[in-house]
Each structure stands twice: as structure tokens, then as C-alpha cells.
Amino acid sequence: MSPRRNRPRGGEIFPERGAEQGIRYGGGGRVEEWRGEEWSVRPVSGASAAGKRYRCPGCDQEIPPGVPHLVAWSEYGGIDDRRHWHKACWNAKDRRTTQVQRSRNAPRY
């Protein structure tokens, strides 16, 4: 008896994998509605911004360089309105409570 083949043979495409291709990081963006506005959401691999750090508005934590995340901006906003989010924070944005704003002298962490 020959061993079981774990990998699909050439040319076979599984439907669940084909659907997943569009939401991988670095792929095309999509438009979502949130707070009565349309938002453009684009996945980012994180590799292109070497040395840059972003702060997620959902959890107020830093997104280190090289970490995949999302970039979201309002359709009516400009380039300066783009925000970098953790994917989980963006997905949970409706379940989160109101953000507590830090004072000027408060630590960032």
C-alpha cells in the first residue's frame, strides 16, 4: 500500500482556498460601511514599511514593522485620514466601547 498523499495533485482547486485568496494580506481592497460612512479597507503585508510603526486606533497598541494589518480610510477623507488597524481590531470595531482618550502627559502604553 502506498502512503497517503497530503498535497493536492496539480490543477485541483478547493473552493474554500479559492475564496480565501481575495482576503489575503497584500491583495485588493474592499469597501465596507461603518458609522454611516463607506470605508475603503486594504490589507497590508507590513513588509513594505520597514522601520515604521503604527498605532492601532482600535486597541491603542503599536503595530510593529513587518506585521500584517489593515489600512482603512473614509471614502470622503483624504490620505491623511488613513488609519492602520490590526485585523482583529477592525473586525471587532462595533463591539468595542468608547475609547478613553489619553492626556498629553499619559504614557503611550
Side-chain angles (χ1 to χ4, degrees):
M1 175 153 66
S2 62
R4 191 180 106 199
R5 184 184 212 46
N6 288 328
R7 288 182 276 160
R9 295 180 186 192
E12 292 180 24
I13 298 175
F14 295 99
E16 62 272 3
R17 285 191 181 172
E20 185 180 296
Q21 294 294 334
I23 60 172
R24 287 196 171 182
Y25 289 103
R30 62 186 182 274
V31 176
E32 293 185 19
E33 189 170 329
W34 182 47
R35 293 185 179 171
E37 293 184 46
E38 289 190 355
W39 289 73
S40 294
V41 181
R42 186 172 57 99
V44 178
S45 66
S48 62
K52 277 191 139 178
R53 293 180 180 268
Y54 301 103
R55 186 162 297 277
C56 175
C59 65
D60 202 33
Q61 298 294 315
E62 226 174 58
I63 301 173
V67 173
H69 58 280
L70 299 173
V71 176
W73 65 94
S74 172
E75 285 291 314
Y76 303 109
I79 292 176
D80 295 335
D81 295 331
R82 291 182 298 184
R83 296 293 173 255
H84 295 253
W85 292 71
H86 293 107
K87 186 175 180 182
C89 294
W90 177 259
N91 291 338
K93 65 190 174 297
D94 294 326
R95 296 188 301 267
R96 294 184 182 271
T97 60
T98 309
Q99 297 285 326
V100 176
Q101 297 295 319
R102 294 189 311 249
S103 65
R104 288 180 174 231
N105 298 332
R108 291 186 166 248
Y109 298 99

Short mmCIF file of all heavy atoms in Angstrom, two decimals, residues 23-81:
data_model
loop_
_atom_site.label_atom_id
_atom_site.label_comp_id
_atom_site.label_asym_id
_atom_site.label_seq_id
_atom_site.Cartn_x
_atom_site.Cartn_y
_atom_site.Cartn_z
N ILE A 23 -8.81 37.60 0.34
CA ILE A 23 -8.68 38.30 1.62
C ILE A 23 -7.29 38.18 2.21
O ILE A 23 -7.06 38.61 3.32
CB ILE A 23 -9.73 37.80 2.63
CG1 ILE A 23 -9.57 36.30 2.89
CG2 ILE A 23 -11.12 38.13 2.17
CD1 ILE A 23 -10.43 35.77 4.00
N ARG A 24 -6.37 37.62 1.49
CA ARG A 24 -5.00 37.53 2.00
C ARG A 24 -4.38 38.91 2.05
O ARG A 24 -4.76 39.82 1.32
CB ARG A 24 -4.16 36.63 1.11
CG ARG A 24 -4.51 35.20 1.31
CD ARG A 24 -3.43 34.34 0.76
NE ARG A 24 -3.70 32.98 1.16
CZ ARG A 24 -2.94 31.99 0.86
NH1 ARG A 24 -1.86 32.17 0.16
NH2 ARG A 24 -3.25 30.79 1.25
N TYR A 25 -3.37 39.07 2.88
CA TYR A 25 -2.70 40.36 3.00
C TYR A 25 -1.98 40.71 1.72
O TYR A 25 -1.37 39.87 1.08
CB TYR A 25 -1.71 40.32 4.16
CG TYR A 25 -2.41 40.28 5.49
CD1 TYR A 25 -2.50 39.11 6.22
CD2 TYR A 25 -3.00 41.42 5.99
CE1 TYR A 25 -3.15 39.08 7.43
CE2 TYR A 25 -3.66 41.40 7.21
CZ TYR A 25 -3.73 40.24 7.92
OH TYR A 25 -4.38 40.21 9.11
N GLY A 26 -2.06 41.97 1.34
CA GLY A 26 -1.42 42.44 0.14
C GLY A 26 -2.32 42.35 -1.08
O GLY A 26 -1.95 42.77 -2.14
N GLY A 27 -3.54 41.83 -0.90
CA GLY A 27 -4.47 41.72 -2.01
C GLY A 27 -5.22 43.03 -2.21
O GLY A 27 -4.90 44.06 -1.65
N GLY A 28 -6.26 42.97 -3.03
CA GLY A 28 -7.05 44.15 -3.32
C GLY A 28 -7.88 44.58 -2.13
O GLY A 28 -8.09 43.84 -1.18
N GLY A 29 -8.36 45.80 -2.19
CA GLY A 29 -9.15 46.34 -1.11
C GLY A 29 -10.63 46.07 -1.30
O GLY A 29 -11.06 45.48 -2.29
N ARG A 30 -11.40 46.52 -0.34
CA ARG A 30 -12.85 46.39 -0.40
C ARG A 30 -13.47 47.62 0.25
O ARG A 30 -12.77 48.40 0.89
CB ARG A 30 -13.30 45.11 0.30
CG ARG A 30 -12.97 45.07 1.78
CD ARG A 30 -13.31 43.71 2.38
NE ARG A 30 -13.03 43.69 3.81
CZ ARG A 30 -11.87 43.41 4.36
NH1 ARG A 30 -10.83 43.14 3.58
NH2 ARG A 30 -11.71 43.40 5.66
N VAL A 31 -14.75 47.79 0.09
CA VAL A 31 -15.46 48.91 0.69
C VAL A 31 -16.43 48.34 1.71
O VAL A 31 -17.17 47.40 1.42
CB VAL A 31 -16.21 49.72 -0.39
CG1 VAL A 31 -17.02 50.83 0.25
CG2 VAL A 31 -15.24 50.30 -1.40
N GLU A 32 -16.42 48.90 2.93
CA GLU A 32 -17.32 48.48 4.00
C GLU A 32 -18.05 49.70 4.53
O GLU A 32 -17.54 50.81 4.47
CB GLU A 32 -16.53 47.84 5.15
CG GLU A 32 -15.88 46.55 4.80
CD GLU A 32 -15.22 45.91 6.01
OE1 GLU A 32 -15.56 46.26 7.16
OE2 GLU A 32 -14.35 45.06 5.80
N GLU A 33 -19.24 49.47 5.08
CA GLU A 33 -19.98 50.57 5.69
C GLU A 33 -19.80 50.50 7.19
O GLU A 33 -19.95 49.44 7.81
CB GLU A 33 -21.46 50.48 5.33
CG GLU A 33 -22.20 51.72 5.78
CD GLU A 33 -23.60 51.78 5.22
OE1 GLU A 33 -23.83 51.27 4.12
OE2 GLU A 33 -24.46 52.35 5.92
N TRP A 34 -19.48 51.64 7.80
CA TRP A 34 -19.28 51.72 9.24
C TRP A 34 -19.61 53.14 9.67
O TRP A 34 -19.15 54.10 9.05
CB TRP A 34 -17.84 51.36 9.60
CG TRP A 34 -17.54 51.37 11.06
CD1 TRP A 34 -18.28 50.80 12.06
CD2 TRP A 34 -16.42 51.97 11.71
NE1 TRP A 34 -17.69 51.00 13.27
CE2 TRP A 34 -16.54 51.72 13.09
CE3 TRP A 34 -15.33 52.70 11.26
CZ2 TRP A 34 -15.62 52.17 14.02
CZ3 TRP A 34 -14.40 53.14 12.19
CH2 TRP A 34 -14.55 52.87 13.54
N ARG A 35 -20.42 53.26 10.71
CA ARG A 35 -20.85 54.55 11.25
C ARG A 35 -21.52 55.42 10.19
O ARG A 35 -21.34 56.63 10.15
CB ARG A 35 -19.67 55.31 11.86
CG ARG A 35 -19.09 54.68 13.09
CD ARG A 35 -18.02 55.56 13.65
NE ARG A 35 -17.47 54.98 14.87
CZ ARG A 35 -16.41 55.45 15.49
NH1 ARG A 35 -15.78 56.51 15.02
NH2 ARG A 35 -15.97 54.88 16.58
N GLY A 36 -22.26 54.80 9.31
CA GLY A 36 -22.99 55.53 8.28
C GLY A 36 -22.13 56.04 7.14
O GLY A 36 -22.61 56.79 6.30
N GLU A 37 -20.86 55.67 7.09
CA GLU A 37 -19.97 56.08 6.02
C GLU A 37 -19.41 54.86 5.32
O GLU A 37 -19.38 53.77 5.87
CB GLU A 37 -18.78 56.87 6.58
CG GLU A 37 -19.11 58.20 7.17
CD GLU A 37 -17.84 58.93 7.62
OE1 GLU A 37 -16.87 58.96 6.83
OE2 GLU A 37 -17.83 59.44 8.73
N GLU A 38 -18.95 55.06 4.11
CA GLU A 38 -18.27 53.99 3.39
C GLU A 38 -16.78 54.12 3.63
O GLU A 38 -16.21 55.21 3.53
CB GLU A 38 -18.58 54.05 1.90
CG GLU A 38 -20.00 53.64 1.60
CD GLU A 38 -20.24 53.46 0.12
OE1 GLU A 38 -19.33 53.75 -0.67
OE2 GLU A 38 -21.34 53.02 -0.23
N TRP A 39 -16.15 53.01 3.99
CA TRP A 39 -14.72 52.97 4.29
C TRP A 39 -14.03 52.05 3.31
O TRP A 39 -14.49 50.95 3.04
CB TRP A 39 -14.50 52.45 5.71
CG TRP A 39 -14.92 53.42 6.76
CD1 TRP A 39 -16.19 53.75 7.11
CD2 TRP A 39 -14.06 54.20 7.58
NE1 TRP A 39 -16.17 54.69 8.10
CE2 TRP A 39 -14.89 54.98 8.42
CE3 TRP A 39 -12.68 54.31 7.69
CZ2 TRP A 39 -14.36 55.86 9.35
CZ3 TRP A 39 -12.16 55.19 8.62
CH2 TRP A 39 -12.99 55.95 9.44
N SER A 40 -12.90 52.49 2.80
CA SER A 40 -12.04 51.64 1.99
C SER A 40 -11.11 50.90 2.93
O SER A 40 -10.48 51.52 3.79
CB SER A 40 -11.22 52.46 1.01
OG SER A 40 -12.05 53.07 0.06
N VAL A 41 -11.05 49.60 2.78
CA VAL A 41 -10.22 48.76 3.65
C VAL A 41 -9.28 47.97 2.75
O VAL A 41 -9.72 47.30 1.82
CB VAL A 41 -11.09 47.81 4.50
CG1 VAL A 41 -10.22 46.97 5.41
CG2 VAL A 41 -12.12 48.58 5.30
N ARG A 42 -7.99 48.07 3.05
CA ARG A 42 -6.99 47.38 2.23
C ARG A 42 -6.03 46.62 3.13
O ARG A 42 -5.49 47.18 4.08
CB ARG A 42 -6.22 48.40 1.41
CG ARG A 42 -5.27 47.79 0.43
CD ARG A 42 -4.67 48.82 -0.48
NE ARG A 42 -3.99 49.88 0.23
CZ ARG A 42 -2.67 49.95 0.41
NH1 ARG A 42 -1.90 49.02 -0.08
NH2 ARG A 42 -2.13 50.94 1.05
N PRO A 43 -5.82 45.34 2.87
CA PRO A 43 -4.84 44.58 3.66
C PRO A 43 -3.41 44.99 3.27
O PRO A 43 -3.14 45.30 2.12
CB PRO A 43 -5.10 43.13 3.29
CG PRO A 43 -5.85 43.18 2.01
CD PRO A 43 -6.52 44.51 1.91
N VAL A 44 -2.53 45.03 4.26
CA VAL A 44 -1.13 45.41 4.06
C VAL A 44 -0.26 44.30 4.64
O VAL A 44 -0.51 43.83 5.75
CB VAL A 44 -0.82 46.75 4.76
CG1 VAL A 44 0.63 47.13 4.60
CG2 VAL A 44 -1.71 47.84 4.25
N SER A 45 0.77 43.91 3.90
CA SER A 45 1.64 42.83 4.39
C SER A 45 2.55 43.30 5.51
O SER A 45 3.01 42.51 6.31
CB SER A 45 2.48 42.28 3.24
OG SER A 45 3.38 43.26 2.78
N GLY A 46 2.84 44.59 5.56
CA GLY A 46 3.72 45.11 6.61
C GLY A 46 5.18 45.09 6.23
O GLY A 46 6.00 45.71 6.88
N ALA A 47 5.53 44.40 5.17
CA ALA A 47 6.94 44.28 4.79
C ALA A 47 7.45 45.54 4.09
O ALA A 47 8.63 45.84 4.13
CB ALA A 47 7.12 43.08 3.86
N SER A 48 6.54 46.31 3.48
CA SER A 48 6.99 47.47 2.71
C SER A 48 7.37 48.66 3.59
O SER A 48 8.12 49.53 3.17
CB SER A 48 5.89 47.89 1.73
OG SER A 48 4.73 48.27 2.45
N ALA A 49 6.85 48.72 4.80
CA ALA A 49 7.14 49.85 5.69
C ALA A 49 8.20 49.46 6.71
O ALA A 49 7.94 49.42 7.91
CB ALA A 49 5.86 50.30 6.38
N ALA A 50 9.39 49.18 6.25
CA ALA A 50 10.46 48.75 7.15
C ALA A 50 10.81 49.90 8.10
O ALA A 50 11.07 51.01 7.69
CB ALA A 50 11.68 48.34 6.35
N GLY A 51 10.78 49.61 9.38
CA GLY A 51 11.15 50.60 10.37
C GLY A 51 10.01 51.50 10.81
O GLY A 51 10.15 52.24 11.77
N LYS A 52 8.86 51.46 10.13
CA LYS A 52 7.73 52.30 10.51
C LYS A 52 6.88 51.58 11.53
O LYS A 52 6.65 50.39 11.43
CB LYS A 52 6.88 52.65 9.30
CG LYS A 52 7.38 53.81 8.51
CD LYS A 52 6.33 54.22 7.54
CE LYS A 52 6.27 55.72 7.50
NZ LYS A 52 5.29 56.17 6.53
N ARG A 53 6.41 52.33 12.49
CA ARG A 53 5.49 51.79 13.49
C ARG A 53 4.19 52.57 13.42
O ARG A 53 4.20 53.77 13.26
CB ARG A 53 6.08 51.89 14.89
CG ARG A 53 7.29 51.02 15.07
CD ARG A 53 7.83 51.17 16.50
NE ARG A 53 8.99 50.34 16.68
CZ ARG A 53 8.94 49.08 17.14
NH1 ARG A 53 7.80 48.56 17.46
NH2 ARG A 53 10.04 48.38 17.28
N TYR A 54 3.09 51.86 13.54
CA TYR A 54 1.78 52.49 13.51
C TYR A 54 1.07 52.17 14.81
O TYR A 54 1.36 51.19 15.47
CB TYR A 54 0.96 51.97 12.33
CG TYR A 54 1.60 52.21 11.00
CD1 TYR A 54 2.24 51.18 10.31
CD2 TYR A 54 1.59 53.47 10.42
CE1 TYR A 54 2.83 51.41 9.09
CE2 TYR A 54 2.18 53.71 9.19
CZ TYR A 54 2.80 52.68 8.53
OH TYR A 54 3.39 52.91 7.32
N ARG A 55 0.10 53.00 15.19
CA ARG A 55 -0.69 52.78 16.38
C ARG A 55 -2.12 52.46 15.95
O ARG A 55 -2.75 53.23 15.25
CB ARG A 55 -0.68 54.00 17.28
CG ARG A 55 -1.39 53.74 18.60
CD ARG A 55 -1.02 54.76 19.64
NE ARG A 55 0.40 54.73 19.98
CZ ARG A 55 0.95 53.90 20.85
NH1 ARG A 55 0.21 53.00 21.47
NH2 ARG A 55 2.24 53.95 21.11
N CYS A 56 -2.62 51.31 16.37
CA CYS A 56 -3.96 50.85 16.03
C CYS A 56 -4.98 51.67 16.82
O CYS A 56 -4.90 51.73 18.04
CB CYS A 56 -4.09 49.37 16.36
SG CYS A 56 -5.75 48.71 16.13
N PRO A 57 -5.94 52.30 16.14
CA PRO A 57 -6.95 53.07 16.87
C PRO A 57 -7.94 52.19 17.62
O PRO A 57 -8.64 52.67 18.52
CB PRO A 57 -7.65 53.88 15.78
CG PRO A 57 -7.37 53.17 14.52
CD PRO A 57 -6.08 52.43 14.71
N GLY A 58 -8.00 50.91 17.30
CA GLY A 58 -8.93 50.01 17.97
C GLY A 58 -8.48 49.61 19.36
O GLY A 58 -9.27 49.59 20.31
N CYS A 59 -7.20 49.33 19.53
CA CYS A 59 -6.69 48.87 20.82
C CYS A 59 -5.65 49.81 21.40
O CYS A 59 -5.18 49.61 22.52
CB CYS A 59 -6.09 47.47 20.69
SG CYS A 59 -4.64 47.40 19.62
N ASP A 60 -5.25 50.83 20.64
CA ASP A 60 -4.25 51.82 21.05
C ASP A 60 -2.89 51.18 21.32
O ASP A 60 -2.13 51.66 22.13
CB ASP A 60 -4.75 52.60 22.27
CG ASP A 60 -4.04 53.93 22.40
OD1 ASP A 60 -3.70 54.52 21.36
OD2 ASP A 60 -3.80 54.37 23.53
N GLN A 61 -2.61 50.07 20.65
CA GLN A 61 -1.31 49.41 20.76
C GLN A 61 -0.53 49.62 19.47
O GLN A 61 -1.10 49.85 18.41
CB GLN A 61 -1.48 47.92 21.03
CG GLN A 61 -2.18 47.60 22.33
CD GLN A 61 -1.35 48.04 23.52
OE1 GLN A 61 -0.16 47.80 23.58
NE2 GLN A 61 -2.00 48.70 24.47
N GLU A 62 0.77 49.50 19.58
CA GLU A 62 1.64 49.67 18.42
C GLU A 62 1.57 48.46 17.49
O GLU A 62 1.47 47.33 17.95
CB GLU A 62 3.07 49.85 18.91
CG GLU A 62 3.77 50.97 18.23
CD GLU A 62 5.14 51.21 18.83
OE1 GLU A 62 5.94 50.27 18.83
OE2 GLU A 62 5.38 52.33 19.28
N ILE A 63 1.65 48.73 16.19
CA ILE A 63 1.76 47.66 15.20
C ILE A 63 3.23 47.66 14.77
O ILE A 63 3.68 48.59 14.09
CB ILE A 63 0.85 47.92 13.99
CG1 ILE A 63 -0.61 48.01 14.43
CG2 ILE A 63 1.04 46.81 12.95
CD1 ILE A 63 -1.55 48.42 13.33
N PRO A 64 4.01 46.67 15.18
CA PRO A 64 5.44 46.65 14.85
C PRO A 64 5.67 46.50 13.35
O PRO A 64 4.81 46.01 12.63
CB PRO A 64 5.97 45.44 15.61
CG PRO A 64 4.90 45.00 16.52
CD PRO A 64 3.62 45.54 16.01
N PRO A 65 6.85 46.89 12.89
CA PRO A 65 7.17 46.72 11.47
C PRO A 65 7.13 45.24 11.07
O PRO A 65 7.51 44.37 11.84
CB PRO A 65 8.59 47.26 11.34
CG PRO A 65 8.83 48.05 12.56
CD PRO A 65 7.93 47.54 13.62
N GLY A 66 6.65 44.97 9.88
CA GLY A 66 6.63 43.61 9.36
C GLY A 66 5.40 42.81 9.74
O GLY A 66 5.26 41.67 9.31
N VAL A 67 4.49 43.38 10.53
CA VAL A 67 3.29 42.65 10.96
C VAL A 67 2.15 42.96 9.99
O VAL A 67 1.86 44.14 9.73
CB VAL A 67 2.89 43.05 12.40
CG1 VAL A 67 1.56 42.43 12.78
CG2 VAL A 67 3.97 42.63 13.37
N PRO A 68 1.50 41.94 9.43
CA PRO A 68 0.37 42.20 8.53
C PRO A 68 -0.77 42.89 9.28
O PRO A 68 -1.05 42.58 10.43
CB PRO A 68 -0.07 40.81 8.08
CG PRO A 68 1.08 39.92 8.38
CD PRO A 68 1.81 40.53 9.53
N HIS A 69 -1.42 43.85 8.62
CA HIS A 69 -2.51 44.59 9.22
C HIS A 69 -3.39 45.18 8.13
O HIS A 69 -3.21 44.85 6.96
CB HIS A 69 -1.98 45.68 10.16
CG HIS A 69 -1.07 46.67 9.50
ND1 HIS A 69 0.27 46.42 9.24
CD2 HIS A 69 -1.30 47.91 9.03
CE1 HIS A 69 0.80 47.47 8.66
NE2 HIS A 69 -0.13 48.39 8.51
N LEU A 70 -4.36 46.01 8.49
CA LEU A 70 -5.26 46.63 7.54
C LEU A 70 -5.09 48.14 7.55
O LEU A 70 -4.75 48.71 8.59
CB LEU A 70 -6.72 46.33 7.90
CG LEU A 70 -7.16 44.88 7.93
CD1 LEU A 70 -8.57 44.78 8.48
CD2 LEU A 70 -7.10 44.29 6.54
N VAL A 71 -5.34 48.76 6.43
CA VAL A 71 -5.38 50.22 6.35
C VAL A 71 -6.81 50.57 5.96
O VAL A 71 -7.36 50.03 5.00
CB VAL A 71 -4.40 50.77 5.30
CG1 VAL A 71 -4.54 52.28 5.18
CG2 VAL A 71 -2.98 50.40 5.66
N ALA A 72 -7.44 51.47 6.74
CA ALA A 72 -8.82 51.88 6.47
C ALA A 72 -8.90 53.39 6.44
O ALA A 72 -8.23 54.08 7.21
CB ALA A 72 -9.74 51.31 7.55
N TRP A 73 -9.73 53.90 5.53
CA TRP A 73 -9.97 55.34 5.47
C TRP A 73 -11.36 55.58 4.92
O TRP A 73 -11.90 54.77 4.18
CB TRP A 73 -8.91 56.04 4.62
CG TRP A 73 -8.90 55.68 3.17
CD1 TRP A 73 -9.53 56.32 2.15
CD2 TRP A 73 -8.22 54.55 2.57
NE1 TRP A 73 -9.29 55.70 0.96
CE2 TRP A 73 -8.49 54.61 1.19
CE3 TRP A 73 -7.43 53.53 3.07
CZ2 TRP A 73 -8.00 53.66 0.30
CZ3 TRP A 73 -6.94 52.58 2.17
CH2 TRP A 73 -7.22 52.66 0.83
N SER A 74 -11.93 56.69 5.32
CA SER A 74 -13.26 57.06 4.88
C SER A 74 -13.22 57.45 3.41
O SER A 74 -12.25 58.05 2.94
CB SER A 74 -13.76 58.24 5.71
OG SER A 74 -14.97 58.73 5.18
N GLU A 75 -14.27 57.13 2.69
CA GLU A 75 -14.33 57.47 1.27
C GLU A 75 -14.27 58.97 1.06
O GLU A 75 -13.83 59.45 0.04
CB GLU A 75 -15.62 56.92 0.65
CG GLU A 75 -15.60 55.43 0.42
CD GLU A 75 -14.64 55.03 -0.69
OE1 GLU A 75 -14.64 55.66 -1.76
OE2 GLU A 75 -13.89 54.08 -0.48
N TYR A 76 -14.72 59.74 2.06
CA TYR A 76 -14.75 61.20 1.94
C TYR A 76 -13.52 61.85 2.54
O TYR A 76 -13.38 63.05 2.49
CB TYR A 76 -16.01 61.74 2.61
CG TYR A 76 -17.25 61.12 2.02
CD1 TYR A 76 -18.00 60.22 2.75
CD2 TYR A 76 -17.64 61.40 0.72
CE1 TYR A 76 -19.13 59.62 2.22
CE2 TYR A 76 -18.76 60.80 0.16
CZ TYR A 76 -19.50 59.92 0.92
OH TYR A 76 -20.60 59.34 0.38
N GLY A 77 -12.64 61.07 3.12
CA GLY A 77 -11.42 61.60 3.71
C GLY A 77 -10.27 61.60 2.72
O GLY A 77 -10.36 61.05 1.63
N GLY A 78 -9.19 62.19 3.13
CA GLY A 78 -8.01 62.24 2.28
C GLY A 78 -6.97 61.23 2.72
O GLY A 78 -7.23 60.35 3.55
N ILE A 79 -5.78 61.38 2.20
CA ILE A 79 -4.67 60.47 2.52
C ILE A 79 -4.31 60.56 3.99
O ILE A 79 -3.96 59.57 4.61
CB ILE A 79 -3.45 60.78 1.63
CG1 ILE A 79 -3.79 60.42 0.19
CG2 ILE A 79 -2.22 60.03 2.09
CD1 ILE A 79 -2.72 60.77 -0.80
N ASP A 80 -4.43 61.74 4.57
CA ASP A 80 -4.08 61.92 5.98
C ASP A 80 -5.06 61.23 6.92
O ASP A 80 -4.78 61.07 8.11
CB ASP A 80 -4.01 63.40 6.33
CG ASP A 80 -2.88 64.09 5.60
OD1 ASP A 80 -1.91 63.40 5.23
OD2 ASP A 80 -2.97 65.32 5.39
N ASP A 81 -6.21 60.80 6.43
CA ASP A 81 -7.21 60.15 7.26
C ASP A 81 -7.06 58.63 7.31
O ASP A 81 -7.87 57.96 7.94
CB ASP A 81 -8.62 60.50 6.76
CG ASP A 81 -8.92 61.97 6.91
OD1 ASP A 81 -8.36 62.59 7.83
OD2 ASP A 81 -9.71 62.50 6.11
#
